[in-house]
Amino acid sequence: NGGNSGNNGNNGNNGNNGNNGNNGKNGNGGNGGNSGNGGPTPPAETLTTGGKSILWDKCAKWRDERQTMTPAEQKTTLAKCMQQECAQSLGYGGNVCRFLDGNGLCYQYKAAQDWCAANPTSSYCAPQPNEPDCKGNCAGQWQPMARAAVAGTGEVYSCTCLKNCACTDKYALNLHECRCTSDADRVAVGVATDLDGVKFMANTNKNLQCACSCGGSIGFGPK
């Protein structure tokens, strides 16, 4: 499950199975792919396709379509994108999320991550801001995006995620119920505080799953 997404994709690992996409100093989400003007050029269809970075489907949707979305839709789509990248960072599909494109979004393919690891000076390959010297197995060191900007208004917002956790939105009760693999996983990562007040249920195996929220909009609600 999980879609390739040079364009939009429509079958990604969404919801419970999800860069530090710290995407710029001024919260500009960017648009399109990475120019990659310096250093070696990656093999075709590894990092990019059609001039755009190959991303998870929800991430590509946020990149390509947010200009036509409402602010709430933009935030929800980015939260779903963060869930996909979070799961990748935990080792989903044997992958990691170490290298980002020019928009601060994680390359989806393991081949792309491996190529960037072998060619870290390429301008296609931006390292995670929180792990510039990462060596070997980098799984689990990912952080969700900070300082994204709402297209149309410029409002800056950030994301937060619970790793190895799955959450359910209880609309009638105005709360979120979450189950995590362990007590250690109950600490949300990221700049935002959206998930600080969730209700934790009994622990159960939720390895490689993530629950994220961006700007107050959850990624684990209705699709």
Side-chain angles (χ1 to χ4, degrees):
N1 58 7
N4 161 336
S5 63
N7 297 312
N8 291 332
N10 57 10
N11 188 27
N13 170 17
N14 67 23
N16 292 333
N17 229 0
N19 61 65
N20 176 351
N22 179 346
N23 97 356
K25 298 180 178 64
N26 61 0
N28 183 352
N31 51 34
N34 196 331
S35 60
N37 291 323
T41 301
E45 306 297 318
T46 301
L47 275 68
T48 64
T49 184
K52 294 184 178 182
S53 303
I54 298 174
L55 310 172
W56 289 99
D57 66 310
K58 300 301 182 185
C59 300
K61 183 175 183 178
W62 180 81
R63 177 193 65 196
D64 298 337
E65 301 179 24
R66 68 184 183 279
Q67 290 81 3
T68 64
M69 298 177 181
T70 66
E73 289 171 338
Q74 293 180 48
K75 295 173 183 179
T76 298
T77 301
L78 185 58
K80 292 180 181 294
C81 162
M82 291 296 100
Q83 288 177 168
Q84 293 177 316
E85 293 194 347
C86 178
Q88 176 179 337
S89 77
L90 293 172
Y92 178 78
N95 206 347
V96 296
C97 182
R98 178 183 175 188
F99 291 98
L100 318 175
D101 73 353
N103 292 325
L105 296 169
C106 194
Y107 290 112
Q108 178 188 2
Y109 289 160
K110 184 177 186 300
Q113 295 292 328
D114 291 345
W115 187 88
C116 283
N119 298 276
T121 61
S122 171
S123 59
Y124 283 88
C125 306
Q128 286 278 359
N130 65 319
E131 54 171 7
D133 299 317
C134 181
K135 301 289 190 302
N137 182 5
C138 306
Q141 300 186 32
W142 172 92
Q143 294 280 317
M145 185 177 287
R147 297 186 295 279
V150 172
T153 70
E155 174 196 352
V156 176
Y157 63 99
S158 298
C159 301
T160 182
C161 293
L162 287 164
K163 299 179 179 182
N164 294 315
C165 298
C167 298
T168 302
D169 187 39
K170 300 291 185 179
Y171 291 101
L173 301 178
N174 194 29
L175 59 80
H176 308 311
E177 291 183 349
C178 302
R179 296 181 185 273
C180 301
T181 299
S182 70
D183 288 348
D185 295 315
R186 294 184 175 192
V187 179
V189 298
V191 175
T193 59
D194 304 4
L195 301 178
D196 287 0
V198 301
K199 179 180 180 181
F200 288 104
M201 312 300 286
N203 290 341
T204 188
N205 187 349
K206 296 298 179 181
N207 288 345
L208 305 185
Q209 299 184 44
C210 295
C212 300
S213 179
C214 295
S217 295
I218 58 173
F220 47 86
K223 296 181 180 180

